[in-house]
Amino acid sequence: MPATPVDPASGSVYPIGLRLAGKHVVVVGGGSVAHRRVAGLLDAHAVVTVVSPQVTPALEALVEPGALTWLRRPYAAGDLAEAWYAVAATDAPEVNAAVADEAESLRIFCARADDRSRSSVWTPAVGRQGDVVVSVHGGGDPQRAVGIRDAVLAGLTDGTVPDTASRPRDARGSVVLVGGGPGDPGLMTVRGRQALAGADVVLADHLAPQSLLASLPPHVEVVDASKLPRGRSMAQEQINALLVEHALAGKRVVRLKGGDPFVFGRGFEELEACTAAGVPVEVVPGVTSAIGVPGLVGVPVTHRGMTHEFVVVSGHVPPDHPASLVDWPSLGRLRGTLVVLMGVETAPAIAAALVEHGRAADTPVAVVVDGASPTQRLIRTTLADLGRTITDEAVRPPAVWVVGDVVGLGA
């Protein structure tokens, strides 16, 4: 017997969360709608069978590793015999109707993608944050449901929607090493924002997204752990000690760093200190300025047919310094892209070393100053003129410079 039509705008729905882990689910159809439904079902650990003569490449890629079963044929009566749940998502209304009718006869709930009024299940707009699932039915308006879902998730991320129940306190506390990206708060990861929203103490670098600190609740203690180039800085040993001290006091501590914690960020030293003290520690990767900042000004670090490699180096000491660990002669012979971080003062010496060891003097260079900030600027030059350009343009840290043919693409 066909399902009784119900106006989706009536709001006549009983919200419930299906626990489909290990349960057989059948999806009829292999297009983009089926693709989205399968993604959610696999996230719920359902055992999925797709019935369709053709499927999207993304669905086909899931077959060989065994993530789903693909029956490469049209739907046939009896396909739902072992199912706990079904999705009718073909381009043919008559096929979707047949799937829905079989599901109804077997008392299996079925989401019919083409006709919500005849579907026994209305698929909500779903979002996840950790172990919290946000599910919104929009009264027949999918865009409305998506907007509300996104607003709730954004609130959970930035802390404007409290989520104290899902954050049990550990007597030992914990530390999260968060890569804040190159400076723009919009380039910080969702997980990083979540960790920051739940922090009791934040140890922040000056290159981390500073505007995010202003949004923290008054009870959050913010510690300035900046390391200014050739200037004032907090010793790394003191930073390590503060992380451990606050965590052992039962606090949720976030170490907010610029870029990525493990790209010239001393993040592993902090991880080692926490581990040695028995403090639980999590690492949240960030967008490194070595890739993100050039990308923001249209300079790719790789390009097909032009470069098959890129190297990121620290320029905090010049090539002839005894503390330098960089093989500059090899980099001079490099044909690909070279990205230099922390290399403003040492730029003339590095450029000279690269030319000395084989790099052409007219190799293009892009210098990006204050990347991912309102004062961001791009300066173009060559290896031969880099030192003079740094002086003439009054370049100051933070700055990233890129050497290689890819610089010309950004023009």
Side-chain angles (χ1 to χ4, degrees):
M1 179 178 179
T4 303
V6 177
D7 181 4
S10 68
S12 300
V13 62
Y14 182 74
I16 190 170
L18 295 180
R19 300 174 60 189
L20 293 174
K23 302 293 194 299
H24 184 209
V25 175
V26 175
V27 177
V28 181
S32 60
V33 174
H35 179 193
R36 295 203 306 271
R37 297 292 183 265
V38 167
L41 290 166
L42 293 179
D43 199 36
H45 304 291
V47 178
V48 179
T49 295
V50 174
V51 182
S52 178
Q54 297 178 327
V55 296
T56 65
L59 286 176
E60 185 175 356
L62 296 171
V63 176
E64 185 174 350
L68 59 80
T69 300
W70 177 20
L71 302 182
R72 306 185 188 200
R73 59 169 174 75
Y75 161 77
D79 280 344
L80 308 186
E82 303 297 326
W84 289 70
Y85 182 69
V87 176
T90 75
D91 293 330
E94 65 277 9
V95 174
N96 292 339
V99 174
D101 289 347
E102 181 182 352
E104 189 80 5
S105 67
L106 296 174
R107 297 184 179 181
I108 298 169
F109 282 103
C110 176
R112 182 172 171 178
D114 64 330
D115 189 347
R116 287 168 55 85
S117 69
R118 295 184 178 276
S119 178
S120 60
V121 172
W122 293 342
T123 304
V126 177
R128 288 176 169 81
Q129 179 172 280
D131 59 353
V132 175
V133 179
V134 177
S135 176
V136 181
H137 291 275
D141 184 348
Q143 289 303 114
R144 180 186 181 194
V146 168
I148 295 173
R149 176 204 63 190
D150 290 347
V152 173
L153 289 174
L156 289 170
T157 298
D158 62 24
T160 55
V161 175
D163 183 24
T164 55
S166 66
R167 300 182 329 211
R169 290 186 176 273
D170 188 324
R172 298 174 297 167
S174 61
V175 171
V176 185
L177 307 179
V178 175
D184 182 343
L187 298 178
M188 186 170 168
T189 65
V190 173
R191 177 64 193 118
R193 293 290 295 268
Q194 293 169 355
L196 192 63
D200 298 311
V201 179
V202 178
L203 277 74
D205 286 347
H206 69 289
L207 294 178
Q210 298 298 301
S211 61
L212 295 179
L213 301 178
S215 65
L216 296 173
H219 74 272
V220 178
E221 180 181 352
V222 178
V223 179
D224 185 352
S226 300
K227 294 179 180 294
L228 304 183
R230 309 295 191 268
R232 297 170 57 192
S233 65
M234 179 180 287
Q236 186 62 50
E237 293 74 17
Q238 184 180 359
I239 294 173
N240 296 348
L242 286 173
L243 293 174
V244 171
E245 175 186 332
H246 286 297
L248 292 179
K251 302 294 182 65
R252 295 160 296 187
V253 185
V254 166
R255 175 70 171 106
L256 183 60
K257 310 166 77 70
D260 181 273
F262 287 174
V263 180
F264 304 131
R266 301 191 178 184
F268 196 74
E269 296 177 41
E270 295 164 355
L271 183 148
E272 286 182 311
C274 293
T275 302
V279 172
V281 59
E282 174 188 355
V283 178
V284 178
V287 177
T288 173
S289 58
I291 300 173
V293 166
L296 288 172
V297 296
V299 176
V301 294
T302 66
H303 185 65
R304 186 172 62 170
M306 181 175 288
T307 176
H308 291 173
E309 61 192 353
F310 72 95
V311 176
V312 181
V313 299
S314 169
H316 72 287
V317 293
D320 59 354
H321 195 284
S324 176
L325 300 176
V326 179
D327 186 349
W328 292 107
S330 294
L331 294 185
R333 296 189 296 271
L334 182 73
R335 297 180 60 187
T337 305
L338 178 67
V339 182
V340 181
L341 305 181
M342 300 178 288
V344 172
E345 292 187 7
T346 57
I350 292 174
L354 292 173
V355 172
E356 176 187 354
H357 294 293
R359 202 77 188 227
D362 61 354
T363 302
V365 177
V367 182
V368 188
V369 185
D370 294 335
S373 78
T375 57
Q376 172 182 290
R377 59 186 175 122
L378 168 64
I379 305 165
R380 295 182 182 279
T381 184
T382 63
L383 274 179
D385 295 333
L386 179 59
R388 185 174 60 198
T389 301
I390 294 287
T391 300
D392 292 348
E393 296 289 341
V395 174
R396 296 289 182 269
V400 175
W401 49 282
V402 184
V403 181
D405 293 338
V406 293
V407 171
L409 298 172

